[in-house]
Amino acid sequence: MVPEANAKISVLDRGFLYGDGVYEAVRVYEGKIFRVEQHWKRLDHSLKGIGLRIPWSHQDLTRACVATLKANRLKEAMIRVTISRGAGELGYDPGTCRHPTFTVIALPIRTDLQERWRQGVKVSIVKIRRNSTRSLSPAIKHTNALNGILAKIESLKVRAFEGVFLNLDGYVAEGTISNIFIVKNGTVKTPALDCGILDGVTRHAVLEVARGSGRKILETYLKIQDVLKADEIFLTSTTMEVMPVVKVDRTVIGGGRPGPVTRSLHIAFRSLLFKELKLHG
Ligand code: PDD
């Protein structure tokens, strides 16, 4: 355990040189990690996707997270677990990497969430497309983030909170760090996994609570027009939970106010996590 200023990684680390690594971002509520096992399962999937084996068990990963939380005296936090292929000789051949690099960072939660949940945010549909599932699959949570960073830069130019990707076929895929949902005539719709998206832990939980409340749900193919004509739109992610969207580029959604279905799904998501983690609030 070292203070950030003393943390060192080799200049030959392939995470630094090539973005050759994977990561998870988990959310901690009252000192407990939400759906930790789902995050480690997705990490396993990502590791398999880049052909990297690690010597740490799920328990080791959780222990490292808890220790980092304690060292930072945090109870409400976001933890980022990053694993790179480690240091080796220059060049793409991973054969000379002996030890993966494993880092854990615990950070406080961003302070603007309450206000954004209340007011809703603007998103922008970016020109750059999501990587194809046949090149670098978006289902792998890897540290090779330029696709998302270029989209983020584009969306910041129009002062959007999040950029939304289309896939190469022109269907809506996901945000740069979030999944997207729309509500139309009471039905909750979200891009299917084969649109080339990350299988979000929050997406999963929201689909669960939506199903539980008897709503009609479709994991489907959405076009730009479906998004622009939606009654409600929201994003999901570990840090954002359920984030209402009230504007898509120049189009105002739902009169510019967060919608009732979005709100009720956020409330249901919160009660699910309070129940699962046995929180006191
Ligand atoms: N981002 N899609 C992408 C591309 C993401 O990077 C993320 C998560 C999600 C939502 O997944 P989840 O609900 O499991 O957080 C979807 C995390 C928060 C990040 O990059 O920090």
Side-chain angles (χ1 to χ4, degrees):
M1 191 72 64
V2 288
E4 183 195 337
N6 298 348
K8 289 195 182 71
I9 289 179
S10 166
V11 290
L12 289 175
D13 193 281
R14 294 168 66 97
F16 169 66
L17 288 175
Y18 308 128
D20 186 0
V22 296
Y23 76 102
E24 275 299 318
V26 302
R27 174 73 160 88
V28 180
Y29 298 88
E30 294 180 20
K32 298 172 188 169
I33 306 174
F34 179 61
R35 300 219 160 161
V36 64
E37 202 45 40
Q38 279 192 24
H39 281 283
W40 300 153
K41 281 200 179 124
R42 188 170 64 189
L43 186 72
D44 289 343
H45 176 262
S46 300
L47 286 164
K48 198 166 167 226
I50 68 160
L52 177 57
R53 283 167 185 267
I54 56 166
W56 304 288
S57 65
H58 290 182
Q59 234 181 9
D60 294 334
L61 300 175
T62 305
R63 256 189 240 123
C65 287
V66 172
T68 313
L69 266 183
K70 286 214 173 109
N72 285 281
R73 294 196 185 84
L74 287 171
K75 285 242 148 72
E76 298 295 315
M78 204 277 277
I79 300 182
R80 162 138 175 164
V81 172
T82 311
I83 298 175
S84 83
R85 210 182 297 270
E89 285 171 22
L90 273 188
Y92 287 173
D93 180 354
T96 57
C97 301
R98 299 244 175 280
H99 308 286
T101 304
F102 170 35
T103 62
V104 181
I105 311 167
L107 298 165
I109 300 303
R110 55 190 291 174
T111 52
D112 61 347
L113 276 176
Q114 296 284 353
E115 196 184 325
R116 291 189 190 276
W117 284 332
R118 201 158 38 78
Q119 296 188 342
V121 296
K122 171 184 171 178
V123 300
S124 175
I125 296 173
V126 293
K127 289 197 185 69
I128 187 171
R129 297 290 172 99
R130 194 51 156 161
N131 289 120
S132 152
T133 50
R134 294 200 286 175
S135 51
L136 181 56
S137 174
I140 300 172
K141 200 162 172 62
H142 54 75
T143 59
N144 204 310
L146 272 171
N147 189 218
I149 292 167
L150 294 181
K152 181 73 185 175
I153 290 170
E154 228 190 287
S155 61
L156 286 172
K157 281 186 186 146
V158 294
R159 293 169 192 270
F161 174 81
E162 173 67 308
V164 174
F165 280 113
L166 305 180
N167 64 21
L168 291 179
D169 298 324
Y171 290 105
V172 176
E174 62 179 341
T176 64
I177 58 158
S178 60
N179 292 114
I180 186 166
F181 285 71
I182 68 166
V183 183
K184 186 70 185 175
N185 300 327
T187 301
V188 177
K189 302 182 189 182
T190 193
L193 292 179
D194 64 4
C195 291
I197 61 171
L198 188 75
D199 187 0
V201 171
T202 323
R203 175 185 182 277
H204 227 272
V206 166
L207 285 173
E208 245 174 78
V209 295
R211 257 184 218 115
S213 66
R215 281 188 196 285
K216 220 176 137 197
I217 292 155
L218 280 178
E219 291 180 68
T220 180
Y221 300 95
L222 298 175
K223 296 190 180 138
I224 295 184
Q225 280 309 310
D226 297 317
V227 170
L228 297 179
K229 291 188 175 150
D231 300 328
E232 299 180 32
I233 303 175
F234 61 88
L235 307 169
T236 62
S237 89
T238 292
T239 42
M240 292 177 215
E241 299 181 1
V242 175
M243 179 61 76
V245 173
V246 292
K247 208 170 176 197
V248 180
D249 291 302
R250 289 187 184 155
T251 306
V252 173
I253 305 295
R257 287 202 198 89
V261 178
T262 304
R263 193 153 280 161
S264 78
L265 287 174
H266 194 185
I267 291 168
F269 169 78
R270 285 230 132 205
S271 11
L272 170 91
L273 82 87
F274 266 67
K275 212 165 110 190
E276 264 185 38
L277 297 178
K278 301 189 177 71
L279 305 185
H280 307 294

